[in-house]
Amino acid sequence: MKLGIDFGTSFSTMCVLKEDGKPHVLRDADGNEKIPSVVYWGDDGVKVGQAASDILGDVPSMDDDEKVETLGRLVKSVKRELLPRHTIALPDGSVITPVEVVAEILKYLKRNAEDLYFHAKVSDVSLTHPATFTEAQKKLLTNAAKQAGFSDVRLMAEPIAAAMGYVASGAKIGKGVLVFDLGGGTFDLAYLQKGTDGEYHFPVPPLGDARCGGDDFDQCVVEHLVREFKREHRLDLSRDPAAMQRIREAAEKAKCELSSSMSSDINLPFITMNQDGPV
């Protein structure tokens, strides 16, 4: 069986195609189907997924120097930074590349699949990417997969993977389908047609925005909250890393609620004030 990985800006998911012809989602060792695409580049080693994401919860209890150090070592939304010659500077002055970060995420997924499900080494992977990825970006993604230990890497545009997923679930989509794929950091709009080979193809080039997604919606909510707090209390929360982290968490939660509701209430009881400002 070949491992399939939907590599996302915010979360990644792994699955296998079993004998029934349907994709089956795999959980990691923490029991997650949606695994945070987050890496913590620590002095004592690299943490990936939920272990890295959980570090964010410890930030409010740290002193200012620890906050800056910790947040500087947490890498999120790396999919958007998968660009040639792009680098990421760590607080200690060392430099890493987005390819290295993506490789750590894929390596973590590979290890979980091998240990928990395959009980053998996995060398083949089908890996999704935005339809608007350039050839250079696709090459970087392939390099990351090779660094993670995969020898046979097949790339698949996300709208095609989505269409195949719908078909596998029993949905009938005919010879043509229009796919809107809005993720955590990218947006694809693609029209697909089924060819004589049974595969879906792009009869016209797909459209999209490589920097439009849930992260941007979160940021809009964050900016609104900071602006309203400043208007009401005359304090700029953007200068406090711990307060901003809490606001980002509240903004993401509100955005998720707005997926199924017309409104969402945001309460920030964790932000109080003393003479020096927000704490």
Side-chain angles (χ1 to χ4, degrees):
M1 291 186 290
K2 178 180 288 189
L3 181 64
I5 294 178
D6 178 20
F7 170 56
T9 303
S10 304
F11 297 93
S12 295
T13 302
M14 51 184 176
C15 72
V16 294
L17 199 65
K18 291 192 173 181
E19 291 76 10
D20 58 6
K22 296 181 180 180
H24 291 256
V25 175
L26 309 181
R27 297 178 183 270
D28 69 355
D30 296 317
N32 296 320
E33 290 186 350
K34 294 174 60 179
I35 298 147
S37 300
V38 182
V39 179
Y40 178 71
W41 219 272
D43 283 332
D44 57 347
V46 175
K47 295 183 179 180
V48 181
Q50 195 62 52
S53 186
D54 286 345
I55 293 174
L56 289 170
D58 299 328
V59 170
S61 62
M62 300 176 182
D63 60 37
D64 289 343
D65 290 340
E66 288 178 316
K67 291 173 186 174
V68 173
E69 176 79 14
T70 300
L71 292 174
R73 291 182 175 279
L74 277 162
V75 184
K76 300 176 62 179
S77 302
V78 69
K79 183 177 178 179
R80 298 174 72 155
E81 309 305 328
L82 196 58
L83 301 166
R85 295 179 295 280
H86 186 77
T87 57
I88 301 167
L90 298 178
D92 61 5
S94 60
V95 174
I96 56 176
T97 66
V99 168
E100 292 177 281
V101 179
V102 175
E104 289 295 337
I105 295 171
L106 299 180
K107 190 186 302 180
Y108 173 81
L109 298 175
K110 181 177 185 290
R111 184 170 62 250
N112 275 264
E114 290 173 340
D115 294 347
L116 301 177
Y117 299 95
F118 289 84
H119 304 296
K121 293 294 182 182
V122 177
S123 59
D124 298 356
V125 66
S126 290
L127 189 58
T128 63
H129 64 83
T132 52
F133 254 23
T134 64
E135 290 303 316
Q137 287 175 299
K138 286 187 277 188
K139 183 176 180 180
L140 291 175
L141 185 58
T142 300
N143 290 344
K146 293 288 182 68
Q147 286 189 28
F150 292 107
S151 56
D152 185 359
V153 182
R154 180 192 180 193
L155 299 184
M156 181 179 295
E158 288 168 357
I160 292 178
M164 292 177 64
Y166 278 117
V167 171
S169 69
K172 298 185 183 301
I173 60 176
K175 294 182 178 180
V177 59
L178 185 64
V179 177
F180 292 82
D181 186 354
L182 179 62
T186 59
F187 170 62
D188 282 334
L189 171 60
Y191 177 67
L192 306 175
Q193 280 186 340
K194 196 171 188 178
T196 55
D197 57 0
E199 300 287 338
Y200 284 93
H201 306 275
F202 299 116
V204 294
L207 303 174
D209 190 333
R211 303 197 73 82
C212 176
D215 283 358
D216 303 285
F217 302 157
D218 292 346
Q219 186 60 31
C220 287
V221 178
V222 167
E223 291 173 0
H224 170 75
L225 294 175
V226 171
R227 188 167 56 248
E228 288 300 301
F229 195 92
K230 186 175 182 179
R231 180 182 62 81
E232 183 174 346
H233 300 287
R234 302 195 181 282
L235 286 171
D236 187 359
L237 296 179
S238 65
R239 299 179 180 180
D240 187 299
M244 288 302 294
Q245 179 53 40
R246 290 170 173 175
I247 289 174
R248 289 189 185 94
E249 292 172 356
E252 184 176 1
K253 181 175 181 291
K255 177 200 67 180
C256 293
E257 291 176 352
L258 290 173
S259 297
S260 56
S261 175
M262 294 299 293
S263 64
S264 176
D265 293 326
I266 299 178
N267 296 309
L268 304 176
F270 39 73
I271 296 179
T272 59
M273 290 177 292
N274 58 26
Q275 292 181 348
D276 298 321
V279 295

